[in-house]
């Protein structure tokens, strides 16, 4: 009964209620779309880093990530790789030789991270082979091929088929040089990665190193939901090695992923806080216009708590109606652009510094919808407090006489 009366009261002033509902809907529409934009950007940043070279889990010898010394290799790598491949949940394993080296062209030199890989395993584990802009990822028959980023090629002043000399220090301390020919150029979302990453075949690198050295085993799993389970199982199986997830390898991405929903919740909260004043004003005007009506209701015996409850219910109806319309429009907009994407190529230079693609696909995580609902209810309750208190403090005789 009270709900039915409250719903009718909302529409007693159709223009005012309509404007307020439209304001709430527009605010949440923009809020949900902005959440979709930022969440899509955060998710794309994490996914791109995992696909590019990070993978889900990496295995190293203790101290390698900190020191990057060529001698800190994984003992018995073949048996470790075989054991990891047999683990439940593991999709692909790519063993890598990782060396800090110098790349030299006829015109320039540049410090680089040199990765010796098995092309087939690396193609399955990462997306670099799918980001080739010239040549291929070790698919031709060239002798001693090397694949580098387009950004590095610009720094060194080289092109496809040009010669590149790589030099590094062996475990015994001697400096070794190797001549390679550029077989492919890749271009990813991250300019830093593209500017200092070099891939060669392990079969070509091992003779230069003088022995089989595996410094890093990149592990891609079937589902990110099983990340901790797979990492825990590998840690138990190889206690002498360091098993780290992408969250450990890139803590800034972990913070980004974990704080995205909180940040977006705060963002929506600010929007609702701004709308709160408008809702309060609307309900206060409604109370002032109906002062005589409230005085009569209290005079004939209606409890003041019921009067307050009616105003609260009206505020909830007003807020939730706008929220439903706004969230529905925002979700439809996110769905539309989520399938078609938003071209941000105008900002590609700045976005690439953070490893973000210039084509953005908005997405809203399901957890955001109950969060919005809770925030709308809280905002509505807060908006109803002052108008409700004004109504229940009315003296029936004064209210009726003043507006009679």
């Amino acid at each position: 009964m009270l709900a039915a009366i409250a719903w009718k009261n909302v529409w007693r002033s159709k223009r005012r209620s309509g404007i307020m509902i439209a304001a709430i809907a527009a605010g949440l529409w923009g809020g949900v779309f902005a959440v979709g934009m930022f969440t899509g950007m955060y998710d794309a940043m994490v996914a791109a880093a995992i696909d590019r070279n990070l993978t889900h889990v990496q295995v190293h010898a203790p101290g390698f990530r900190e020191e990057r010394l060529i001698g800190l290799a994984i003992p018995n790598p073949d048996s470790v790789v075989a054991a990891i491949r047999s683990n439940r949940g593991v999709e692909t394993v790519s063993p890598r030789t990782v060396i800090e080296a110098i790349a030299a062209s006829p015109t320039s030199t540049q410090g680089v991270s040199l990765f010796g890989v098995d092309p087939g395993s690396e193609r399955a584990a990462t997306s670099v082979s799918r980001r080739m802009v010239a040549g291929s990822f070790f698919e031709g028959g060239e002798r001693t091929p090397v694949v580098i980023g387009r950004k590095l090629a610009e720094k060194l002043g080289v092109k496809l088929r040009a010669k590149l000399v790589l030099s590094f220090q062996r475990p015994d301390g001697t400096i070794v040089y190797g001549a390679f020919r550029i077989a492919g150029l890749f271009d990813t979302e991250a300019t830093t990665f593209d500017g200092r990453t070099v891939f060669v075949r392990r079969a070509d690198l091992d003779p230069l190193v003088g022995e089989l050295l595996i410094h890093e085993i990149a592990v891609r799993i079937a589902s990110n939901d099983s990340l901790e389970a797979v990492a825990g199982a590998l840690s138990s199986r190889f206690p002498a090695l360091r098993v780290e997830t992408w969250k450990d390898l890139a803590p800034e991405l972990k913070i980004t992923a974990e704080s995205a929903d909180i940040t977006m919740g705060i963002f929506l909260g600010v929007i609702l806080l701004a709308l709160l004043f408008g809702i309060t004003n609307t309900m206060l005007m409604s109370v002032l216009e109906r002062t005589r009506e409230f005085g009569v209701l209290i005079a004939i015996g209606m409890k003041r708590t019921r009067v307050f409850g009616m105003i609260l219910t009206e505020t909830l109806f007003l807020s939730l109606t706008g929220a439903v319309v706004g969230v529905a429009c925002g979700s439809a907009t996110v769905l539309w652009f989520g399938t078609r994407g938003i071209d941000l190529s105008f900002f590609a230079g700045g976005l690439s510094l953070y490893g973000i693609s210039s084509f953005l696909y908005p997405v809203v995580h399901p957890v955001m919808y109950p969060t919005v609902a809770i925030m709308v209810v809280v905002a509505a309750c807060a908006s109803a407090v002052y108008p409700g208190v004004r109504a229940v403090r009315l003296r029936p005789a004064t209210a009726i006489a003043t507006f009679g």
Side-chain angles (χ1 to χ4, degrees):
M1 182 66 177
L2 186 65
I5 294 173
W7 179 251
K8 290 181 180 178
N9 288 337
V10 167
W11 298 107
R12 288 172 68 170
S13 178
K14 294 183 177 62
R15 179 179 296 178
R16 184 169 58 213
S17 296
I19 292 173
M20 197 63 242
I21 288 172
I24 296 170
L28 288 178
W29 185 352
V32 170
F33 183 63
V35 166
M37 288 277 289
F38 285 114
T39 305
M41 189 177 296
Y42 291 153
D43 288 356
M45 190 188 308
V46 172
I50 291 173
D51 288 342
R52 186 169 53 246
N53 71 314
L54 208 56
T55 64
H56 294 97
V57 178
Q58 289 185 8
V59 181
H60 304 95
F64 175 76
R65 278 215 309 127
E66 293 76 15
E67 303 294 336
R68 306 289 286 188
L69 297 178
I70 191 171
L72 295 174
I74 297 173
N76 303 313
D78 291 338
S79 61
V80 174
V81 169
I84 293 174
R85 283 201 174 105
S86 66
N87 194 279
R88 191 175 188 179
V90 171
E91 187 176 71
T92 305
V93 179
S94 180
R96 301 164 173 169
T97 302
V98 184
I99 301 172
E100 294 301 303
I102 299 293
S105 71
T107 59
S108 182
T109 60
Q110 176 71 34
V112 297
S113 292
L114 172 61
F115 289 84
V117 299
D118 297 322
S121 299
E122 193 67 19
R123 273 193 290 268
T126 68
S127 63
V128 174
S129 61
R130 299 188 293 275
R131 304 304 300 268
M132 305 302 297
V133 292
S136 66
F137 193 78
F138 304 111
E139 293 176 3
E142 302 92 341
R143 282 188 60 190
T144 59
V146 61
V147 175
I148 67 175
R150 184 167 65 177
K151 189 69 175 178
L152 178 59
E154 293 174 357
K155 291 180 180 179
L156 295 175
V158 294
K159 298 181 179 179
L160 196 66
R161 311 301 176 195
K163 182 183 288 187
L164 194 67
V165 176
L166 299 173
S167 59
F168 56 88
Q169 191 175 39
R170 282 179 171 175
D172 61 7
T174 60
I175 303 297
V176 63
Y177 297 85
F180 294 81
R181 194 163 296 278
I182 299 174
L185 302 175
F186 59 83
D187 186 15
T188 70
E189 305 89 351
T191 55
T192 303
F193 177 80
D194 294 352
R196 58 170 286 107
T197 304
V198 173
F199 291 96
V200 300
R201 293 184 305 201
R202 278 182 46 217
D204 298 324
L205 185 60
D206 288 347
L208 294 175
V209 176
E211 57 183 302
L212 172 63
L213 294 178
I214 298 297
H215 302 98
E216 181 174 283
I217 301 176
V219 182
R220 193 173 186 93
I221 62 177
S223 171
N224 200 46
D225 295 335
S226 59
L227 179 67
E228 300 302 332
V230 171
L234 295 180
S235 295
S236 300
R237 192 160 188 176
F238 306 108
L241 299 176
R242 286 183 61 177
V243 178
E244 298 168 297
T245 68
W246 64 266
K247 297 178 182 180
D248 303 314
L249 298 165
E252 70 282 0
L253 292 179
K254 176 186 176 182
I255 294 171
T256 296
E258 292 180 348
S259 65
D261 289 336
I262 297 174
T263 304
M264 293 305 100
I266 294 173
F267 180 75
L268 283 174
V270 171
I271 292 176
L272 284 172
L273 182 63
L275 291 172
L276 182 146
F277 295 100
I279 300 171
T280 302
N281 181 67
T282 299
M283 295 310 300
L284 185 58
M285 290 298 296
S286 177
V287 168
L288 292 175
E289 289 177 358
R290 295 152 57 195
T291 299
R292 184 174 183 274
E293 175 186 327
F294 289 130
V296 171
L297 290 174
I298 296 172
I300 63 175
M302 187 174 190
K303 293 182 179 179
R304 295 178 185 270
T305 54
R306 297 272 290 176
V307 174
F308 185 88
M310 183 168 63
I311 295 172
L312 176 62
T313 306
E314 291 175 21
T315 309
L316 283 171
F317 281 151
L318 185 70
S319 303
L320 290 175
T321 301
V324 169
V325 175
V327 171
C329 292
S331 300
T333 307
V334 168
L335 182 62
W336 172 271
F337 286 106
T339 54
R340 290 162 177 79
I342 301 173
D343 188 3
L344 300 177
S345 55
F346 182 78
F347 308 99
L351 293 174
S352 63
L353 295 175
Y354 301 95
I356 302 173
S357 172
S358 59
F359 224 76
L360 179 63
Y361 296 89
V363 62
V364 176
H365 294 164
V367 71
M368 187 54 64
Y369 294 111
T371 302
V372 171
I374 292 170
M375 288 194 299
V376 168
V377 170
V378 171
C381 292
S383 302
V385 171
Y386 181 60
V389 169
R390 284 289 299 265
V392 298
R393 283 183 175 178
L394 291 173
R395 293 180 180 273
T398 304
I400 295 170
T402 303
F403 292 85

